[in-house]
Amino acid sequence: QVQLVESGGGSVQAGGSLRLSCAVSGYRYSRYCMGWFRQAPGKEREGVAAIYAGGGSTRYADSVKGRFTISQENAKNTLDLQMNSLKPEDTAMYYCAASAECYYFSLSKYSYTYWGQGTQVTVSS
């Protein structure tokens, strides 16, 4: 059974940094995609960053390029998201997600099967 558990959210002032971490267990696919998504109140869940099969390829939403970095540490089975230069518009619930066998690498939520419970990020101005 695949389980994803996020941690590292919190409150920070604009310009600050946070690092989110996702502990992954029970995942056995060799060809996979993992990603971070976020959802603000009243808005659709959107893809923030994704990584394909061990870091060979990454993808970012335009709104976070140059500020956020996704990384994976296989030895610890974790997926991290380093968020720098945070803005109030980054405020949202952030979710870790993983695909089943990954045939289409994208930031679309429909490409992902497994989801964590989320961790709240609040950025104040």
Side-chain angles (χ1 to χ4, degrees):
Q1 182 178 357
V2 178
Q3 287 191 317
L4 307 173
V5 180
E6 303 96 336
S7 62
S11 297
V12 65
Q13 288 193 323
S17 298
L18 283 173
R19 188 176 183 89
L20 305 183
S21 187
C22 176
V24 182
S25 61
Y27 195 76
R28 296 291 180 260
Y29 297 97
S30 58
R31 182 176 180 165
Y32 59 85
C33 303
M34 290 189 179
W36 286 95
F37 291 73
R38 66 186 182 188
Q39 189 168 17
K43 294 190 175 182
E44 291 280 326
R45 188 170 298 189
E46 63 173 352
V48 174
I51 194 165
Y52 175 73
S57 182
T58 57
R59 192 161 292 178
Y60 295 91
D62 288 343
S63 58
V64 306
K65 280 181 182 176
R67 300 190 297 123
F68 290 12
T69 303
I70 189 170
S71 61
Q72 185 177 23
E73 189 164 353
N74 290 330
K76 295 184 179 180
N77 290 329
T78 60
L79 181 74
D80 296 334
L81 184 69
Q82 178 65 42
M83 305 186 295
N84 298 328
S85 302
L86 283 161
K87 304 176 181 180
E89 51 263 43
D90 294 318
T91 295
M93 185 72 79
Y94 282 70
Y95 298 89
C96 174
S99 69
E101 204 73 36
C102 185
Y103 294 105
Y104 183 65
F105 180 43
S106 79
L107 286 172
S108 168
K109 60 185 178 182
Y110 301 108
S111 296
Y112 295 81
T113 302
Y114 305 101
W115 294 86
Q117 294 300 305
T119 185
Q120 178 68 37
V121 172
T122 303
V123 184
S124 58
S125 57

